């Protein structure tokens, strides 16, 4: 007889870990106990050595899907000191305060066993949309406060029925202590209303019928609300676009795994990501047959964002129909938070949806769908939200790991996410959005407050924010700092991107990093966005960038890319008036005003943004004259460049001839003049689009590689929103690898502004040590 004590650390609470341990202990004939110890679980097992080995192997290999084991420590217990255990038990911890200090898991898609019950006509949970167990279902989006007990979640409104209580109390059952469990007798109920709130049905089959008849539905799900309609009718899709005032931005869709091959070219990485229990949206390449199934108005890109059903409700929407997919887009007006309570949904979306599939469970924390895209063979996070938040990220680098400061980093303004650091765990909030808007700014405050609550944080040592003086997040940081006497540190936007990449990859050696995006407030007060940084001996410094261009009308130049083009052509001393007139876009008066601004240098700002250069070309080739969503002109330009099917070498020659770099500054004027020349020579617009991608990638990598070589540095990083551009990113990585240098790319944290708050926290920690 051997006795061992096993301590398991990680996400081991609220995920069915103890009943799992109980089951594998029984299976392997163990005596002893399992006990929750706050931030770890203590297990004592006593039995035959070979059974203990089998137990340990089960522990590692069969752990519950929601759990995450960070470490297991095993100690032998001296037989003489050993109590005699006659059975295996789950011992409740005496101190429930300590007990629940562990990490709250994210929401996770319905598990196979629950799904089987829903689809089984004889099961008592047949057709029940809210079926969940310890291995699946909502967590983060239903929790109000700690500890994670049913009483502290929005399930408190649904007292368990006798059958459910029995399951809840039985250690052998997979619903043992499952806080979100319920059934049709005791749990939340679905109903369908029209847009004046009148209930028209309680049957989800009617929702399916409405969808088949071309209606637009608002569907309240687990952590949020979607607008849903069919994918194949031009009329329906255009109607949704009109009502949402969303003329071109591609819609995400939901489909079933067995249909993915019909319309997409999905590879193994993408398949693994899309099927994972987090069930994110994955940007998939369309295949040749795509157009057979989808209205051309669903997505005007070469990709389509696809997710699989992740709740019982979603699966039921695909029963009783031959639809292969639905449009499923977050139910919010552009830039505003998603509507989540029934009254608000009816009020805000009354003019958008025809019918409302609602339920009577409250959504406590809204959580938008996460979005992934494969770049450089890795799944990168465009949005880290449902399925990820609030799971923390850890960093192992010495001085950062050893810091015991609690830090609140408030992020940028657009695509905002905040980050709380506690015990070297970096907790990122769910996706928040554009905090320049009042409602979204309030949402940021709520999300931060909530994160502080569910991590049991009772003091903040320091606050970090952006350098931009008038961002709401900066003002909020300063207010908080003043109110509570907490020091506030400001960190430049692109430096934060660099720090974010170092923290993400956990590599803090000297590096050169390319930080490219739409905009960030620079150290010189200008707008940056095409930057190269040298991080050496703990100091970060900008060592190269794109040429400064003028934005006539400041922000208007990012909304109307033709303004940017006019600016660059003006700088090149070309006949701007003539060329821009040719596009027939601006009125004579407006064009005059633009020229006046350029000549007199009035109401202009300076920018080194990569986004603005891509935008100019998007306008040059008449692809996009107005940005209707974040990044539109350049996102569509990437899709166009993808259609180039000529020789790469031809483009490389063009780039070699026209790329000029002086003092580590890339001459973007010549690149745009070259593009205009190509257009005048009747070159295909796909070729021009591809040319500018390669020219920028080659220019940036050239400076980065030269700097790295000169400094004896082996790492070159790439970060920022433009690094989601597959053509640019993959070209840069190819160049880096060709020189036998090592590329740093994002894997756990968004490349874009969703990673800024994490970078702010990392930057603060690096600089304060
Ligand atoms: Zn389940
Ligand atoms: Zn029940």
């Amino acid at each position: 007889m051997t006795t061992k004590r096993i301590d398991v650390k990680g996400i081991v609470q609220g995920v069915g870990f103890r009943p799992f341990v109980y089951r594998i202990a029984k299976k392997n004939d163990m005596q002893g106990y399992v006990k929750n110890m706050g931030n770890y679980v203590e297990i004592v097992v006593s039995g035959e050595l070979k059974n203990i080995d089998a137990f340990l192997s089960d522990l590692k290999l069969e752990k519950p899907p929601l759990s995450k084991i960070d470490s297991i420590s095993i100690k032998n217990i001296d037989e003489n000191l050993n109590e005699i255990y006659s059975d295996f038990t789950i011992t409740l911890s005496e101190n429930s305060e300590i007990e629940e200090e562990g990490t709250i898991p994210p929401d996770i898609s319905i598990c196979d066993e629950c799904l089987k019950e829903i689809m089984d006509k004889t099961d008592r949970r047949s057709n029940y949309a809210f079926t969940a167990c310890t291995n699946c279902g909502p967590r983060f989006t239903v929790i109000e406060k700690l500890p994670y007990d049913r009483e502290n979640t929005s399930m408190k409104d649904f007292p368990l029925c006798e059958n459910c209580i029995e399951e809840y109390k039985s250690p052998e059952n997979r619903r043992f202590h499952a806080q979100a469990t319920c059934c049709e007798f005791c749990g939340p109920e679905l109903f369908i209303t029209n847009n004046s709130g009148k209930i028209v049905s309680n049957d989800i089959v009617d929702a399916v019928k409405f969808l088949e008849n071309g209606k637009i539905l608002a569907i309240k799900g687990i952590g949020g609300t979607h607008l849903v309609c069919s994918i194949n009718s031009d009329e329906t899709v255009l109607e949704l676009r009109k009502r949402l005032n969303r003329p071109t931005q591609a819609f995400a869709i939901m489909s079933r795994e067995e249909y993915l091959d019909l319309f997409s070219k999905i590879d193994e990485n993408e398949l693994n990501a899309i099927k994972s229990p987090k069930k994110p949206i994955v940007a998939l390449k369309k295949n040749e047959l795509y157009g057979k199934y989808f209205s051309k108005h669903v997505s005007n890109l070469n990709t389509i964002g696809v997710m699989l059903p992740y709740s019982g409700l979603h699966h039921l929407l695909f029963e009783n129909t031959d639809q292969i997919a639905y449009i499923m887009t977050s139910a919010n007006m552009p830039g505003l938070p998603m509507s989540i309570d029934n009254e608000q949904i009816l009020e805000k979306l009354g003019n958008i949806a025809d019918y409302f599939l609602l339920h009577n469970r409250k959504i406590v924390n809204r959580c938008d769908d996460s979005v992934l895209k494969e770049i450089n063979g890795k799944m990168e996070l465009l949005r880290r939200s449902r399925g990820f938040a609030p799971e923390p990220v850890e960093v192992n680098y010495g001085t950062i790991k050893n810091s015991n400061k609690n830090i609140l980093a408030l992020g940028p303004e657009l695509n905002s996410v905040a980050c709380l650091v506690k015990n070297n765990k970096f907790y990122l909030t769910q996706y928040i959005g554009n905090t320049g808007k009042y409602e979204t700014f309030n949402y940021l405050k709520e999300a931060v407050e909530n994160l502080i609550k569910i991590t049991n944080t009772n003091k903040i040592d320091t606050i970090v924010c952006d350098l931009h003086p008038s961002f709401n997040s900066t003002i909020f940081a300063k207010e908080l700092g003043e109110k509570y006497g907490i020091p506030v540190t400001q960190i430049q936007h692109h430096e934060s991107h660099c720090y974010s990449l170092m923290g993400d990859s956990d590599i803090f050696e000297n590096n050169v990093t390319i930080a490219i995006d739409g905009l960030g407030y620079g150290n010189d007060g200008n707008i940056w966005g095409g930057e190269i940084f040298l991080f050496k001996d703990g100091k970060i410094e900008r060592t190269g960038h794109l040429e400064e261009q003028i934005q006539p009308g400041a922000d208007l130049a990012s909304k109307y890319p033709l303004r940017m083009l006019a600016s660059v052509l003006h700088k090149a001393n070309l006949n701007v008036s003539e060329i821009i007139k040719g596009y027939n876009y601006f009125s004579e008066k407006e064009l005059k005003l633009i020229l006046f601004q350029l000549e007199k240098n009035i109401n202009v700002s300076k920018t080194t943004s990569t986004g603005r250069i891509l935008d100019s070309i998007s306008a040059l080739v008449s692809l996009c004259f107005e940005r209707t969503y974040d990044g539109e002109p350049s996102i569509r330009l990437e899709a166009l460049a993808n259609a180039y099917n000529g020789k790469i070498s031809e483009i490389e020659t063009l780039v070699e001839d026209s790329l000029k770099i002086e003092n580590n500054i890339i001459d973007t004027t010549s690149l745009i003049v070259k593009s205009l020349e190509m257009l005048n020579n009747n070159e295909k617009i796909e070729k021009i689009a591809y040319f500018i991608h390669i020219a920028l990638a080659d220019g940036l990598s050239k400076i980065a590689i030269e700097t790295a070589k000169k400094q004896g540095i082996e790492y070159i990083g790439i970060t920022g929103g433009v690094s989601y551009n597959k053509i640019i990113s993959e070209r840069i990585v190819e160049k880096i690898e060709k020189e036998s240098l090592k590329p740093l790319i994002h894997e756990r944290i968004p490349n874009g502004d969703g990673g800024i708050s994490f970078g702010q926290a990392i930057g603060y920690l690096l600089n304060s040590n």
Side-chain angles (χ1 to χ4, degrees):
M1 192 73 98
T2 310
T3 304
K4 284 182 194 285
R5 200 185 107 176
I6 304 151
D7 292 343
V8 187
K9 282 190 180 167
I11 297 180
V12 285
Q13 268 128 51
V15 292
F17 199 80
R18 285 171 301 158
F20 154 73
V21 171
Y22 176 90
R23 284 194 299 275
I24 59 169
K26 286 279 182 193
K27 176 184 149 198
N28 291 301
D29 212 9
M30 295 287 101
Q31 281 86 51
Y33 67 86
V34 54
K35 186 173 177 180
N36 233 336
M37 298 300 288
N39 53 1
Y40 68 99
V41 163
E42 179 184 291
I43 306 165
V44 167
V45 283
S46 186
E48 298 283 327
L49 191 56
K50 68 174 198 313
N51 291 348
I52 292 185
D53 287 342
F55 170 84
L56 283 171
S57 150
D58 286 347
L59 186 71
K60 286 171 204 158
L61 298 177
E62 283 169 30
K63 66 182 175 57
L66 289 191
S67 66
K68 182 171 161 265
I69 297 180
D70 290 339
S71 70
I72 300 180
S73 91
I74 304 167
K75 285 193 188 97
N76 283 317
I77 295 183
D78 191 332
E79 248 176 87
N80 300 328
L81 296 175
N82 194 11
E83 281 179 56
I84 306 296
Y85 303 103
S86 56
D87 198 0
F88 194 89
T89 54
I90 298 179
T91 311
L92 291 180
S93 135
E94 302 92 56
N95 187 341
S96 68
E97 285 264 314
I98 301 174
E99 178 173 344
E100 296 296 345
E101 225 205 33
T103 306
I104 300 297
D107 286 13
I108 290 295
S109 64
I110 186 165
C111 72
D112 291 345
E113 285 167 286
C114 285
L115 187 57
K116 219 191 261 164
E117 292 170 345
I118 294 182
M119 296 304 163
D120 178 355
K121 297 277 172 276
T122 64
D123 193 276
R124 77 182 192 91
R125 287 189 172 82
S126 164
N127 278 322
Y128 184 58
F130 300 91
T131 302
C133 71
T134 39
N135 299 330
C136 73
R139 295 288 186 283
F140 173 63
T141 59
V142 295
I143 189 166
E144 284 165 353
K145 58 175 192 242
L146 288 175
Y148 178 60
D149 279 338
R150 194 173 176 97
E151 278 313 296
N152 293 333
T153 71
S154 55
M155 290 306 292
K156 66 170 181 279
D157 300 335
F158 307 96
L160 291 170
C161 70
E162 257 174 52
N163 282 334
C164 285
I165 286 181
E166 205 169 294
E167 294 166 345
Y168 184 87
K169 285 189 168 166
S170 154
E172 283 90 354
N173 196 290
R174 79 174 199 285
R175 293 198 167 89
F176 176 74
H177 281 221
Q179 307 302 351
T181 188
C182 54
C183 72
E184 111 180 83
F185 298 102
C186 62
E189 285 167 27
L190 282 176
F191 51 92
I192 303 171
T193 79
N194 61 17
N195 54 10
S196 49
K198 185 173 176 274
I199 295 181
V200 295
S201 166
N202 293 89
D203 189 351
I204 197 166
V205 174
D206 287 324
V208 175
K209 280 186 198 144
F210 286 138
L211 289 169
E212 282 180 344
N213 291 331
K215 300 293 181 203
I216 295 168
L217 266 67
I219 299 184
K220 179 179 168 188
I222 291 184
T225 309
H226 287 114
L227 286 162
V228 185
C229 70
S230 68
I231 53 157
N232 42 23
S233 146
D234 287 352
E235 199 191 332
T236 306
V237 181
L238 285 175
E239 184 61 27
L240 177 63
R241 290 204 172 279
K242 197 174 96 194
R243 292 186 196 173
L244 260 179
N245 189 21
R246 189 167 147 172
T248 56
Q249 187 176 12
F251 287 122
I253 61 145
M254 180 175 279
S255 183
R256 277 182 159 177
E257 191 185 335
E258 59 265 38
Y259 299 139
L260 296 177
D261 284 331
L262 293 180
F263 59 84
S264 79
K265 294 181 207 165
I266 185 166
D267 71 18
E268 207 184 325
N269 273 343
E270 292 163 334
L271 187 63
N272 288 337
I274 206 169
K275 279 169 67 178
S276 82
K278 296 178 187 300
K279 293 285 187 296
I281 294 173
V282 177
L284 299 179
K285 246 198 215 145
K286 296 172 179 174
N287 71 13
E288 304 71 31
L289 291 175
Y290 169 88
K292 191 177 147 193
Y293 303 99
F294 287 78
S295 156
K296 62 177 179 297
H297 302 292
V298 175
S299 160
N300 61 357
L301 305 176
N302 58 323
T303 54
I304 173 120
V306 188
M307 63 184 144
L308 299 180
Y310 57 85
S311 72
L313 189 152
H314 295 147
H315 282 280
L316 291 170
L317 285 177
F318 281 98
E319 289 298 297
N320 314 305
T321 182
D322 50 14
Q323 302 271 324
I324 61 158
Y326 297 107
I327 285 181
M328 278 262 171
T329 185
S330 289
N332 60 288
M333 295 311 278
L336 297 182
M338 183 162 57
S339 302
I340 47 171
D341 67 59
N342 291 353
E343 270 170 37
Q344 196 194 31
I345 293 170
L346 281 163
E347 186 199 313
K348 300 240 169 172
L349 307 172
N351 295 325
I352 295 172
D354 301 306
Y355 291 96
F356 295 76
L357 176 56
L358 304 173
H359 58 73
N360 57 348
R361 180 168 67 195
K362 199 179 142 205
I363 295 174
V364 180
N365 302 304
R366 68 165 80 66
C367 205
D368 284 82
D369 298 314
S370 294
V371 185
L372 276 71
K373 177 180 177 183
E374 188 176 26
I375 304 166
N376 286 307
K378 299 267 194 281
M379 298 309 299
E380 306 210 329
L381 285 151
L382 275 86
R383 183 187 288 165
R384 184 185 186 277
S385 203
R386 177 181 52 74
F388 293 86
E391 192 179 310
V393 170
E394 287 180 45
V395 175
N396 283 311
Y397 181 68
T399 53
I400 290 180
K401 190 179 182 169
N402 298 330
S403 161
N404 52 9
K405 279 192 176 162
N406 293 350
I407 299 163
L408 176 62
L410 289 169
E413 179 157 85
L414 296 171
N415 291 310
S416 174
V417 164
C419 175
L420 177 73
V421 188
K422 191 191 173 193
N423 297 330
N424 185 37
K425 287 193 160 62
F426 293 74
Y427 296 90
L428 279 83
T429 63
Q430 68 273 42
Y431 165 81
I432 306 291
N434 177 3
T435 54
K437 301 212 174 185
Y438 180 74
E439 288 95 333
T440 315
F441 177 47
N442 280 340
Y443 177 28
L444 172 74
K445 292 184 188 172
E446 273 168 39
V448 166
E449 209 173 291
N450 174 60
L451 198 55
I452 287 175
K453 249 198 277 181
I454 63 169
T455 50
N456 252 346
T457 305
N458 43 33
K459 79 172 175 37
I460 301 289
D461 298 302
T462 207
I463 299 171
V464 201
C465 65
D466 196 83
L467 198 60
H468 199 297
S470 54
F471 278 179
N472 274 332
S473 51
T474 308
I475 296 167
F476 180 46
K478 293 189 169 166
E479 276 171 12
L480 277 181
E482 209 154 287
K483 190 170 167 194
Y484 297 103
I486 306 168
V488 176
T489 301
Q490 290 177 274
I491 299 190
Q492 199 274 328
H493 186 93
H494 301 95
E495 291 179 9
S496 300
H497 273 309
C498 297
Y499 293 132
S500 160
L501 180 57
M502 291 183 230
D504 187 344
S505 53
D506 223 331
I507 290 173
F508 290 84
E509 306 203 13
N510 293 345
N511 65 71
V512 178
T513 291
I514 299 168
I516 40 178
D517 62 4
L519 76 152
Y521 188 77
N523 285 332
D524 56 5
N526 292 328
I527 299 166
W528 290 7
E531 318 305 314
I532 294 159
F533 288 88
L534 169 67
F535 176 78
K536 198 178 176 196
D537 306 329
K539 290 212 163 49
I540 194 160
E541 158 192 29
R542 183 197 198 202
T543 63
H545 54 87
L546 301 191
E547 175 191 355
E548 269 179 5
Q549 298 287 0
I550 300 292
Q551 297 197 163
D555 287 347
L556 280 181
S558 38
K559 187 155 169 64
Y560 300 101
L562 209 46
R563 277 179 174 259
M564 253 346 271
L565 181 66
S567 163
V568 181
L569 299 179
H570 177 262
K571 197 174 184 185
N573 288 317
L574 293 174
N575 189 344
V576 186
S577 180
E578 197 72 7
I579 298 168
I580 301 295
K581 249 187 220 160
Y583 289 96
N584 233 336
Y585 186 76
F586 293 128
S587 68
E588 210 162 301
K589 199 176 144 202
E590 207 173 353
L591 183 54
K592 254 190 190 158
L593 177 69
I594 296 170
L595 291 171
F596 176 77
Q597 288 170 336
L598 287 169
E599 270 151 28
K600 304 283 175 198
N601 231 10
I602 290 173
N603 191 21
V604 295
S605 47
K606 285 183 190 163
T607 184
T608 54
S609 161
T610 313
R612 293 301 83 75
I613 298 304
L614 293 167
D615 289 1
S616 316
I617 302 295
S618 200
L620 177 86
V621 300
S622 301
L623 181 67
C624 181
F625 294 122
E626 185 190 345
R627 184 201 63 197
T628 65
Y629 61 90
D630 190 27
E632 172 172 8
S634 49
I635 289 171
R636 289 172 63 187
L637 190 70
E638 183 190 354
L640 180 70
N642 261 299
Y644 173 68
N645 52 15
K647 281 195 188 124
I648 308 276
S649 58
E650 204 180 314
I651 301 289
E652 284 172 334
T653 311
L654 280 172
V655 169
E656 264 167 47
D657 291 346
S658 48
L659 182 63
K660 291 181 206 149
I661 301 173
E662 215 171 297
N663 297 326
N664 282 352
I665 297 171
I666 299 167
D667 176 347
T668 48
T669 306
S670 324
L671 296 178
I672 288 180
V673 170
K674 180 72 194 176
S675 305
L676 174 65
E677 234 178 78
M678 290 167 77
L679 188 71
N680 290 339
N681 290 337
N682 294 319
E683 294 279 15
K684 280 191 173 159
I685 57 173
E686 291 82 359
K687 185 174 176 182
I688 301 170
Y690 197 75
F691 161 76
I692 193 71
H693 280 76
I694 298 302
L696 289 170
D698 286 8
L700 291 160
S701 46
K702 195 163 182 229
I703 300 176
I705 289 166
E706 279 173 12
T707 310
K709 286 192 164 171
K710 210 189 285 174
Q711 300 283 346
I713 285 173
E714 57 174 345
Y715 289 102
I716 296 181
I718 170 163
T719 182
V722 175
S723 70
Y724 291 128
N725 185 307
K726 202 171 153 76
I727 301 174
I728 293 182
S729 260
E730 294 186 348
R731 176 78 178 178
I732 290 176
V733 167
E734 187 191 315
K735 290 268 167 188
I736 297 168
E737 284 175 340
K738 221 174 175 179
E739 298 293 329
S740 303
L741 298 168
K742 292 177 183 165
L744 292 179
I745 53 175
H746 283 283
E747 284 188 60
R748 305 183 292 167
I749 300 289
N751 310 22
D753 285 3
I756 286 288
S757 57
F758 173 75
Q760 289 171 340
I762 295 279
Y764 170 79
L765 284 166
L766 268 184
N767 294 324
S768 67
N769 280 304

